[in-house]
Amino acid sequence: MNDIIKRQATASEEALWRIFTIPEAPDSTLSIIEQNLSQNLAGFLNESIVAVEKPLWQIERDFQAFQIPEQPSFVSDYTDTIMQKLVAHSVHTAAPSFIGHMTSALPYFVLPLSKMMVGLNQNLVKIETSKAFTPLERQVLGMMHHLVYGEKDGFYKKWMHSANHSLGAFCSGGTIANITALWIARNRLLKPDGDFKGIAKEGLFRAMQHYGYQGLAIVVSERGHYSLGKAADVLGIGRDMVVSVKTDANNKVDTAEMRRVLADLAERNIKVLAIVGVAGATETGNIDPLNELADLAEQQQCHFHVDAAWGGATLLSAKYRHLLAGIERADSVTIDAHKQMYVPMGAGMVVFKHPSTANVIEHHAEYILRKGSKDLGSQTLEGSRPGMAMLVHACLQVIGRQGYQILIDRSLEKARYFATLISHNIDFELITEPELCILTYRYVPAQVQKAMASASPEQLLRFNELLNGLTKFIQKRQREEGKSFVSRTRLTPARYQRQETIVFRVVLANPLTTEQILRDVLVEQDQLAQQDKEFYPKLLQLAAQQLHG
Amino acid sequence: MNDIIKRQATASEEALWRIFTIPEAPDSTLSIIEQNLSQNLAGFLNESIVAVEKPLWQIERDFQAFQIPEQPSFVSDYTDTIMQKLVAHSVHTAAPSFIGHMTSALPYFVLPLSKMMVGLNQNLVKIETSKAFTPLERQVLGMMHHLVYGEKDGFYKKWMHSANHSLGAFCSGGTIANITALWIARNRLLKPDGDFKGIAKEGLFRAMQHYGYQGLAIVVSERGHYSLGKAADVLGIGRDMVVSVKTDANNKVDTAEMRRVLADLAERNIKVLAIVGVAGATETGNIDPLNELADLAEQQQCHFHVDAAWGGATLLSAKYRHLLAGIERADSVTIDAHKQMYVPMGAGMVVFKHPSTANVIEHHAEYILRKGSKDLGSQTLEGSRPGMAMLVHACLQVIGRQGYQILIDRSLEKARYFATLISHNIDFELITEPELCILTYRYVPAQVQKAMASASPEQLLRFNELLNGLTKFIQKRQREEGKSFVSRTRLTPARYQRQETIVFRVVLANPLTTEQILRDVLVEQDQLAQQDKEFYPKLLQLAAQQLHG
């Protein structure tokens, strides 16, 4: 019965003792929900999350209280409330038809393992609160290092568990990973030298005075992730010093243009802190020519970082890992396990080519992270953090490299299938081909496409404006109806004179997404387009004028 | 039977489909473990974690493989393995006799809720992948803001859900919270001005040139957390510019000394970026005189940050919140929910007095975090991150303010009880009194205490050296034996001429720690002392010489 639970909802010492010692009764609301979750996660999510989207301002009505409630609540009452107000209006990120973002369905075994991780409540900052989790995390980083760099046995025997070295850093996500990499790059560049004790100790202002640079730059393609701007801000480099290099028709960085940019920076006495290669652009999935960037970084004698937060998992496919050739020349590489590695949210990593790379950010304290200890916290940006590495470890073992290869290969093939589907549909236009499992496209009625083919640049501009409005309308309406979801972004395709073009963006990493779902998405978008009373009719009218007027 | 599980361990498309769609069989190894965990977490931890510590180098033997396994593993086999190699050698952070760190037992309901959180797999960076979790997180931050600042209804109605404002930032832990606060302080200080576009855009070097400062300083007591040094490094200020001010006999910052430090910095044209108040020092639990620091910050016209990662939860007690008087004058306050708020690892927060404080770190991107959106990621250091705010929300509702008050008050009273116990035991010496539920002490045999009372400064030095060795020995041996755990740190007490003194450090936040356990800890330490063959006999000998020689 609910007796135990009911008795917990009084602010008494005995009631509190109970919530720390007596588990939920098996027939309590929360226990029953948990059982549903365990027996059928997809079913639970389908039933608990409402399909039709409620506007945010309506959802917000349920989150207005700003005072911590004085009295305790019954766990069962609380559970009822959040099922209705929170879970029902959360996002079904695991839905096979939710193909707009990088979250996917999860393998079942991560759920009980997550619960075990929470129950163990380790703190990875130091050995004293994590013990075996420390070598486990180091092993996961070693495996990811081997995946990227493939060093020999002796290398890992020597460094993987070495107290004053690290093959990488585990963190909450790709943003922290990128910041960590660039922090290291900055501190290595502005290292101690003569009287100067190094930037870590003396700061950036003294460092610049000592080395005599006029500025520092991070050079990356225009497809670089927004976290690089954040890193430049945090690290004191300045967002304006993330120098954006334009991309070619395939959304890969234009290396000739990068050479010009580098020459220009050198002339202005601006030192390049790092060249960043994009390996799986967030918006289009494309991979920069990493070998050429490695050459440029060598010439510049600067740090070479590869942001493979999304694309790094492709290294698990023997068939497609060649797409990232040159990544093994990077000084540091970011990979998110919560993206294409099917680990729950909160598992980012950066790996370092050289085991002593992170020494420039090493720090110690008296009661913790003592010198010579193997405490992981001495070389990470975060302090206290959970044992998420266990979930990556589990996925690597249970899925195995060959299992991952199948997942990666199928995702890519599914994206190619969808691209073909779009290309063959007369009312759609493929904007970017999938190099990995990301592609972009838009809805352009056949007669509009025909009219655009012979339009003047000015007319094209007008067509594109209307198409942008239509794409926005379709994407928003589709999301609200809750059957399926694609995201949208803005690109500047060369074929449209780099005009801002709004496109649908699709990420096909969910193994449960079927070809039928993809066909249905196009049918739905076609229907939605015709519900638009603003841009759709104007487009048809403009096309008619152009073709017949 | 194990059939389904067995079939999952082949790298085939069908097997992979199964791990994403078919849950663990109820009689599988992992399911059985999960049931144990649900029915009796304490029992599970007691049985699964071995008591006697295995040396790290032995544990590491099981984590030597550096290649991602080619073939998949059976979930049941994997589970068996980690139970033996990982879980058995993890740290029993919830044990009532584990009183050395800030992790505690957890309330039971957070386990099923964590599993739900993982199953929902929301990404809080933006509304599109978190929907109702966004207003939920804003509400949690609003409640914590109200706890600290207690603004009126209208304030929260206006700002709590406002798109371009935020009452705080949720993050993985106190380190990121402190970095966020100081990042904001730095960017507010070096803001756009005339031709200068601000540090966020132009970087620290140009900012210093523009404003004409010779350096920036963060002023904090010598008890300040090591994350402040990390922040100074990352933000380009330099670790040397964390100016450490000595503390008084109670480990609170000496404000007269701080005034001298501030005058000296002004003379050297070093601008104070922030004064940081410590509200619950990690090592001793003491709280700085926050009102005095607020006055100083006002005079300096600088940011006033309070690091209440540990002590902030004390605000939940009507009886003891006065200990933090003045915190409501801080521009920003760090509070960790995974410490004294009994939330699992990975729940840090920083709250801002003014809703527009974080605007100086605001950033946007095309496909995400569009301007005017309520995406939380536009004002946080992290990017993708999980829905941990739900667990804080749950604890606030289920435990309630009055429930928290009982937990906080009992912890403090337990610490006072232990302090009395130590004071009354002739073989122990209390080093720091508990202001919150942290205290430090050491083992000093009665005759040694007697001898020290009449010792010369040189002799005292020698006694202290030997005592340091003995304290280390006891702490290490106690940890290895696995019955109980206290941590150790190094202090410089005024009564020992600021000589480095190694002490036991105890944190009494676990509600399951009984007075009997505390009595047993002293008995155990007494016995362990006598096992030491190095420092203990020398101490007795030295004492005998001093007293009778």
Side-chain angles (χ1 to χ4, degrees), chain A residues 11 13 16 19-21 23 30 34 38-39 45 53 56 60 63-67 69-73 78 89-91 93 101 105-108 112 114-115 118 120-122 125-128 131-132 139 143 146 153 156 160-161 172 175 183 186-187 197 200-201 203-205 208 225-226 230 233-236 238-240 282 345 363 366-367 369-370 374 380-383 385-386 393-394 397-399 401-403 406 410 488-490, chain B residues 11 13 16 19-21 23 30 34 38-39 53 56 60 63-67 69-73 78 89 91 93 101 105-108 112 114-115 118 120-122 125-128 131-132 139 143 146 153 156 160-161 172 175 183 186-187 197 200-201 203-205 208 225-226 230 233-240 282 345 363 366-367 370 374 380-383 385-386 393-394 397-403 406 410 488-490:
Chain A
E13 220 162 328
L16 285 163
I19 68 167
F20 281 90
T21 54
L30 186 54
E34 196 193 351
S38 299
Q39 283 154 23
L45 296 172
E53 191 175 271
L56 191 61
E60 282 171 356
F63 299 94
Q64 292 301 319
F66 57 87
Q67 282 177 311
E70 272 292 302
Q71 296 296 329
S73 291
Y78 178 73
H89 304 292
S90 62
V91 179
T93 58
H101 284 297
L106 295 174
Y108 262 87
S114 297
K115 193 168 145 192
V118 171
L120 289 168
N121 207 26
Q122 306 291 290
V125 72
K126 56 183 183 295
I127 301 261
E128 273 180 358
K131 223 152 62 178
Q139 182 182 34
M143 286 182 169
H146 183 260
D153 290 37
Y156 298 97
M160 201 158 74
H161 295 288
S172 61
T175 294
W183 177 22
R186 191 200 65 180
N187 284 16
K197 290 184 281 169
K201 286 196 173 157
L204 183 66
F205 184 50
M208 298 294 277
H225 190 254
Y226 70 89
K230 207 190 275 192
D233 178 351
V234 174
L235 296 171
R239 289 172 182 273
D240 287 355
T282 315
M345 193 51 60
H363 46 271
E366 280 310 340
Y367 70 104
L369 318 176
R370 298 179 186 101
K374 296 191 174 181
T380 56
L381 182 58
E382 291 170 287
R385 59 193 175 77
H393 191 261
Q397 312 283 327
V398 176
I399 299 176
R401 204 220 33 96
Q402 292 187 7
I406 294 174
R410 292 296 164 278
R488 69 167 200 266
T489 191
R490 215 180 300 181
Chain B
E13 219 162 330
L16 286 162
I19 67 167
F20 281 90
T21 54
L30 186 54
E34 197 193 349
S38 300
Q39 283 155 23
E53 192 176 89
L56 192 60
E60 282 172 356
F63 299 94
Q64 292 301 319
F66 58 86
Q67 282 177 311
E70 272 291 302
Q71 296 296 331
S73 291
Y78 178 72
H89 304 292
V91 179
T93 57
H101 284 297
L106 296 173
Y108 263 88
S114 296
K115 193 168 146 192
V118 170
L120 290 168
N121 206 27
Q122 307 291 289
V125 71
K126 57 184 184 293
I127 301 262
E128 272 180 357
K131 224 153 57 180
Q139 182 182 33
M143 285 180 169
H146 183 262
D153 290 36
Y156 297 97
M160 200 159 73
H161 296 287
S172 61
T175 295
W183 177 24
R186 191 200 65 180
N187 284 17
K197 290 183 283 170
K201 286 196 172 158
L204 183 66
F205 184 50
M208 298 294 276
H225 190 253
Y226 70 91
K230 207 190 273 191
D233 178 351
V234 173
L235 296 171
I237 293 158
R239 289 172 182 273
D240 287 354
T282 316
M345 194 49 60
H363 46 271
E366 281 309 340
Y367 70 105
R370 298 180 186 100
K374 295 190 175 181
T380 57
L381 182 59
E382 291 169 286
R385 59 192 174 77
H393 191 261
Q397 312 283 326
V398 175
I399 298 175
R401 200 214 44 88
Q402 291 187 7
I406 293 173
R410 292 298 163 277
R488 70 167 199 266
T489 191
R490 215 179 300 181

Side-chain angles (χ1 to χ4, degrees), chain B residues 97-157:
Chain B
S97 58
F98 180 98
I99 52 175
H101 284 297
M102 291 171 163
T103 30
S104 153
L106 296 173
Y108 263 88
F109 61 86
V110 301
L111 289 186
L113 288 177
S114 296
K115 193 168 146 192
M116 199 194 286
M117 180 192 91
V118 170
L120 290 168
N121 206 27
Q122 307 291 289
N123 181 351
L124 276 278
V125 71
K126 57 184 184 293
I127 301 262
E128 272 180 357
T129 49
S130 63
K131 224 153 57 180
F133 271 74
T134 296
L136 172 114
E137 187 170 295
R138 282 182 174 269
Q139 182 182 33
V140 168
L141 291 166
M143 285 180 169
M144 297 306 291
H145 188 284
H146 183 262
L147 179 69
V148 173
Y149 298 107
E151 296 284 352
K152 300 223 172 70
D153 290 36
F155 179 91
Y156 297 97
K157 279 201 184 111

Side-chain angles (χ1 to χ4, degrees), chain B residues 197-272:
Chain B
K197 290 183 283 170
I199 183 172
K201 286 196 172 158
E202 296 200 35
L204 183 66
F205 184 50
R206 301 257 165 98
M208 298 294 276
Q209 289 174 323
H210 177 83
Y211 281 101
Y213 301 128
Q214 276 305 304
L216 301 173
I218 295 165
V219 180
V220 64
S221 103
E222 57 185 330
R223 290 275 89 79
H225 190 253
Y226 70 91
S227 59
L228 300 173
K230 207 190 273 191
D233 178 351
V234 173
L235 296 171
I237 293 158
R239 289 172 182 273
D240 287 354
M241 301 312 281
V242 178
V243 183
S244 176
V245 181
K246 74 175 170 50
T247 49
D248 61 19
N250 295 319
N251 287 286
K252 295 164 179 285
V253 71
D254 180 335
T255 48
E257 177 67 16
M258 190 181 276
R259 253 181 230 105
R260 279 190 291 276
V261 164
L262 292 171
D264 173 60
L265 290 169
E267 218 162 85
R268 291 158 58 202
N269 190 25
I270 292 172
K271 173 67 190 166
V272 177

Side-chain angles (χ1 to χ4, degrees), chain A residues 200-248:
Chain A
K201 286 196 173 157
E202 295 201 35
L204 183 66
F205 184 50
R206 299 259 165 96
M208 298 294 277
Q209 288 174 325
H210 177 84
Y211 281 101
Y213 301 128
Q214 277 306 303
L216 301 173
I218 296 165
V219 180
V220 64
S221 102
E222 57 184 330
R223 291 276 87 80
H225 190 254
Y226 70 89
S227 59
L228 300 172
K230 207 190 275 192
D233 178 351
V234 174
L235 296 171
I237 293 158
R239 289 172 182 273
D240 287 355
M241 302 312 282
V242 179
V243 182
S244 176
V245 180
K246 74 175 169 50
T247 48
D248 60 20

